[in-house]
Amino acid sequence: TIRKKATKGETLVPLSKLHEGTIAVFVYHDEDSNGKLKTGFFWRPKEGFAFSNNYLPKGPPKFKKATAKLVHGKPMVIKLNY
């Protein structure tokens, strides 16, 4: 778990402590700062969220569908869904 204060526009999160290879990343914007992801019916997040590989699940997420290659020095761009 990595926590980072959101900034307007773009927030950079260093992943240098993770080993290179295949990973899955889940990101969410804790809009109400309660430390929890607010979800609704069928787990659908009520706050900004995203998975690596531009994966948008329809129900519980699957690790395999969210996998991406982590290569140090190469940015992984993840855009939040609101």
Side-chain angles (χ1 to χ4, degrees), residues 8-73:
K8 188 174 183 176
E10 185 176 278
T11 302
L12 299 175
V13 179
L15 301 177
S16 57
K17 292 185 179 182
L18 298 178
H19 294 287
E20 288 186 327
T22 303
I23 65 168
V25 177
F26 174 68
V27 180
Y28 77 95
H29 179 190
D30 188 9
E31 296 174 57
D32 59 5
S33 300
N34 70 349
K36 298 176 185 176
L37 175 64
K38 237 190 256 178
T39 59
F41 199 56
F42 291 118
W43 187 84
R44 181 74 179 168
K46 292 184 173 184
E47 298 176 298
F49 75 100
F51 288 90
S52 47
N53 199 27
N54 296 315
Y55 172 51
L56 189 58
K58 293 179 177 152
K62 306 270 189 256
F63 176 83
K64 194 171 189 177
K65 291 184 178 186
T67 59
K69 285 280 189 193
L70 175 64
V71 177
H72 291 296

